[in-house]
Amino acid sequence: MRPMTDSIEAIRRFSACAALLAVPLWATTQTAQAQAPVEKPNIILILSDDFGYGDAGAYGGGENRGMPTPHLDRLAAEGMTFLSFYAQPSCTPGRAAVQTGRIPNRSGMTTVAFQGQGGGLPAAEWTLASVLKRGGYKTFFTGKWHLGESDYALPNAQGYDEMKYAFLYHLNAYTYGDPTWFPDMDPKLRDMFDKVTKGALSGKAGQTAKQDFKVNGQYVDTPEKGVVGIPFVDHYVEKAALEYLEQNRRSKEPLFMSINFMKVHQPNLPAPEFEHKSLSKSKFADSVVEADTRIGRILDKVRELGLEKKTYVFWTTDNGAWQDVYPDAGYTPFRGTKGTVREGGNRVPAMAWGPGIKAGSKSSDVVGGLDYMATFAKLASVKLPENDREGKPIIFDSYDMSPILFGTGTSERTSWFYFTENELTPGAARVGNYKAVFNLRGDDGAKTGGLAVDSNLGWKGPESYVATVPQVFDLWQDPQERYDIFMNNFTERTWTVVSISASVDDLMKTYIKYPPRKLQSETFSGPITLTQYQRFQNIREQLEKQGFSIGLPTGN
């Protein structure tokens, strides 16, 4: 981005005075705060996988799309539905943002290594669990983790007192070594995947995790023989959650539960009892019905145990719909797909339910998965740490949503930053109702229809940045990002870039005091050239002469 001129700087100061820019939670004294319950509530966070914005009935899907979602619809009818809720554009950064309350490039969790390569969420990071433990909470994890496989990166090393049936990868990974899926794979490579791919893991804090069973891509449910197929894994996630609730029904300590279902990430293989139970009878629709049913059973258990008066339940998904894998994919009315900075890759469904939340309420405030950290800390009466778990200063990108939940105010967040894997400056940024798009990734793929405004390329689409000025969209008037209004003869909105640029500038300044951690896994970002190597070699030699040495890149 270009340096600001003096005139733009002046306008920026005016914009700040007019409160156009967000003031982060970590840099301000909050006003108009919602009053937390006297007794610390139980908090249950349910996270789905690749669930589309338009899949549930409450968002225009459900029966209307051939896959009824009565339990999610009831959750919406009894609680709050968010209409401008944001995730990250893929699984690992989405889950890292939820767990840490930090944009993923701060933790290095912009993507994750292949199984067998180790690594994962740095030990210095705070998670929802480790923060809530400071408030006396019992913490529990089950389901998809996808934040690395090294011991220090597992849930039971990241603040969770107990993890039960933790799955370390996305569903595809469990098919790699399966000969019926990939009969053409070299036997040595198959043996390698079989050896390094970990199955369901369980263990308590301070203990070495034990494998419950391996996972493959078959319709087989034989934990006693050490193997369970993809169709059955969410049964075990549900089972673990229900058992934990039952065991702790009379707990004197408040509970925090992170429940993470594996569906509806492809390949969708519904459990046998859900096959052809959707109206459309497709694998994806059947799996949505399964996901809805399992979520409903957890809510029913909360009610059955009489915990509803002191329990908050939050539900969302990790990223936008993955259009690349259609028809095994969720639906989004927005442009783009998982893997891009378009709305379709980032705007997701989300609901909240519990005492003090008005039934049937809706919120259009710009909020997201990053904001669970500040919100849960508020509900639990816990102050967010100022230093990481190794004693170094830390910053959170999280805002307290409780004023929205309890109707006492609005979110202090007025901006949202969109990132792909390798971006330090955001690929897109939203301030108020205006969005500037710098990274056009995915716009040059195979069209989805004669009048389609987008293409179905996420990761497969190359990074492609605008040459001089961004695309600008009014997300109130044009949520599908169809009409670029940066310089239009009728609705010119070039002035919107002033506040957006200032917001990005403020973000960039935070990297100075709070530098991003090392990436936990690197993706292909173009060829390494001789020129780059020689330049790197020159810098390395200069640094060594000054008494500081850096290692050559390792690739993970």
Side-chain angles (χ1 to χ4, degrees):
M1 299 183 66
R2 297 176 177 176
M4 292 186 178
T5 64
D6 292 342
S7 59
I8 290 180
E9 183 63 30
I11 296 174
R12 178 185 168 188
R13 293 194 187 100
F14 174 80
S15 300
C17 293
L20 286 176
L21 301 180
V23 181
L25 173 75
W26 35 264
T28 185
T29 301
Q30 304 259 334
T31 58
Q33 294 279 12
Q35 292 298 314
V38 175
E39 181 184 0
K40 292 187 177 185
N42 299 319
I43 301 172
I44 299 176
L45 175 61
I46 303 175
L47 202 64
S48 292
D49 199 339
D50 286 6
F51 208 97
Y53 187 94
D55 288 344
Y59 286 86
E63 189 171 332
N64 187 49
R65 293 197 49 242
M67 44 193 196
T69 56
H71 303 287
L72 284 172
D73 297 349
R74 181 181 176 184
L75 183 65
E78 295 180 356
M80 175 173 285
T81 303
F82 293 92
L83 302 178
S84 293
F85 194 96
Y86 287 92
Q88 306 297 315
S90 62
C91 296
T92 291
R95 291 166 189 277
V98 165
Q99 287 290 336
T100 66
R102 286 154 49 82
I103 54 177
N105 60 27
R106 296 197 193 279
S107 62
M109 297 301 296
T110 62
T111 184
V112 75
F114 251 116
Q115 57 260 49
Q117 293 183 317
L121 188 65
E125 288 289 324
W126 289 99
T127 64
L128 295 171
S130 54
V131 168
L132 291 179
K133 279 198 66 63
R134 290 158 59 101
Y137 274 70
K138 295 181 66 173
T139 56
F140 175 79
F141 182 93
T142 183
K144 182 177 178 179
W145 181 240
H146 210 200
L147 295 177
E149 60 183 5
S150 290
D151 289 343
Y152 66 80
L154 299 182
N156 66 336
Q158 290 282 351
Y160 288 95
D161 297 323
E162 181 180 355
M163 66 178 185
K164 185 69 174 177
Y165 306 129
F167 300 92
L168 305 188
Y169 321 107
H170 56 322
L171 280 178
N172 309 75
Y174 298 102
T175 68
Y176 293 162
D178 193 322
T180 61
W181 283 79
F182 303 108
D184 57 332
M185 181 180 286
D186 183 283
K188 293 181 179 178
L189 182 59
R190 189 188 317 284
D191 290 343
M192 184 276 290
F193 277 121
D194 286 340
K195 180 179 179 180
V196 303
T197 303
K198 299 177 182 178
L201 298 179
S202 296
K204 295 186 177 180
Q207 296 180 349
T208 301
K210 300 289 182 63
Q211 181 171 274
D212 302 294
F213 47 76
K214 286 275 192 181
V215 178
N216 66 13
Q218 305 300 312
Y219 272 84
V220 56
D221 185 18
T222 55
E224 70 282 359
K225 296 181 180 179
V227 62
V228 169
I230 286 174
F232 301 92
V233 291
D234 274 353
H235 157 73
Y236 288 92
V237 177
E238 175 197 324
K239 178 176 181 287
L242 296 181
E243 288 177 350
Y244 189 81
L245 278 168
E246 189 72 51
Q247 293 164 3
N248 291 276
R249 61 191 303 175
R250 295 185 178 87
S251 174
K252 294 182 180 180
E253 301 167 287
L255 309 178
F256 170 61
M257 300 176 64
S258 180
I259 303 169
N260 303 263
F261 287 108
M262 302 289 282
K263 290 182 173 70
V264 284
H265 192 293
Q266 66 96 7
N268 276 289
L269 301 175
E273 65 269 31
F274 293 100
E275 287 188 279
H276 298 164
K277 288 301 187 290
S278 66
L279 299 176
S280 71
K281 306 192 187 313
S282 71
K283 284 183 169 59
F284 181 82
D286 291 345
S287 294
V288 168
V289 171
E290 176 182 349
D292 176 76
T293 301
R294 297 195 189 284
I295 292 167
R297 288 172 182 167
I298 292 169
L299 290 163
D300 287 344
K301 177 61 70 171
V302 171
R303 299 182 185 103
E304 174 193 324
L305 298 176
L307 300 176
E308 68 273 17
K309 292 183 180 180
K310 61 176 183 178
T311 300
Y312 289 96
V313 177
F314 296 83
W315 170 79
T316 189
T317 188
D318 54 356
N319 50 252
W322 193 2
Q323 297 293 284
D324 286 352
V325 296
Y326 179 84
D328 197 7
Y331 172 75
T332 176
F334 304 114
R335 183 175 184 173
T337 173
K338 174 181 176 179
T340 72
V341 297
R342 297 295 187 181
E343 292 296 285
N346 296 267
R347 203 187 295 201
V348 297
M351 301 174 189
W353 174 92
I357 299 176
K358 184 179 178 181
S361 56
K362 293 180 172 61
S363 172
S364 295
D365 283 48
V366 176
V367 291
L370 285 167
D371 298 325
Y372 287 132
M373 176 64 83
T375 305
F376 293 178
K378 175 65 178 180
L379 293 174
S381 301
V382 176
K383 185 178 183 296
L384 289 181
E386 296 180 356
N387 295 314
D388 67 17
R389 295 171 75 187
E390 293 179 349
K392 298 178 182 178
I394 193 170
I395 192 173
F396 293 95
D397 303 286
S398 190
Y399 294 77
D400 177 19
M401 294 188 291
S402 62
I404 305 172
L405 297 176
F406 304 122
T408 63
T410 59
S411 170
E412 292 191 359
R413 177 188 290 284
T414 60
S415 63
W416 188 267
F417 300 115
Y418 309 68
F419 297 90
T420 56
E421 295 86 354
N422 203 34
E423 290 177 325
L424 194 62
T425 57
R430 174 177 179 173
V431 174
N433 54 299
Y434 291 105
K435 178 180 180 181
V437 177
F438 305 97
N439 186 353
L440 309 181
R441 176 183 186 174
D443 278 6
D444 62 349
K447 299 301 180 185
T448 55
L451 298 177
V453 297
D454 194 33
S455 57
N456 275 356
L457 288 185
W459 293 289
K460 290 179 288 185
E463 293 178 346
S464 175
Y465 290 92
V466 293
T468 305
V469 297
Q471 294 179 349
V472 173
F473 302 96
D474 181 348
L475 293 180
W476 283 353
Q477 298 262 9
D478 178 27
Q480 290 181 316
E481 300 172 86
R482 295 177 296 176
Y483 305 105
D484 179 2
I485 58 174
F486 181 83
M487 193 169 286
N488 179 286
N489 65 346
F490 179 66
T491 57
E492 181 182 337
R493 292 291 188 274
T494 55
W495 53 266
T496 60
V497 179
V498 174
S499 57
I500 292 172
S501 295
S503 188
V504 173
D505 186 52
D506 287 342
L507 168 70
M508 297 303 293
K509 290 177 181 177
T510 67
Y511 295 134
I512 298 173
K513 184 176 180 181
Y514 308 97
R517 302 191 196 280
K518 179 182 181 295
L519 288 178
Q520 295 303 297
S521 177
E522 294 183 7
T523 56
F524 182 72
S525 56
I528 299 174
T529 65
L530 287 170
T531 304
Q532 290 173 328
Y533 174 78
Q534 290 171 356
R535 183 180 298 123
F536 178 83
Q537 188 78 358
N538 182 50
I539 293 172
R540 186 173 188 266
E541 290 171 356
Q542 290 181 9
L543 289 173
E544 284 181 338
K545 290 178 182 179
Q546 297 173 7
F548 179 76
S549 177
I550 57 176
L552 289 169
T554 62
N556 68 24

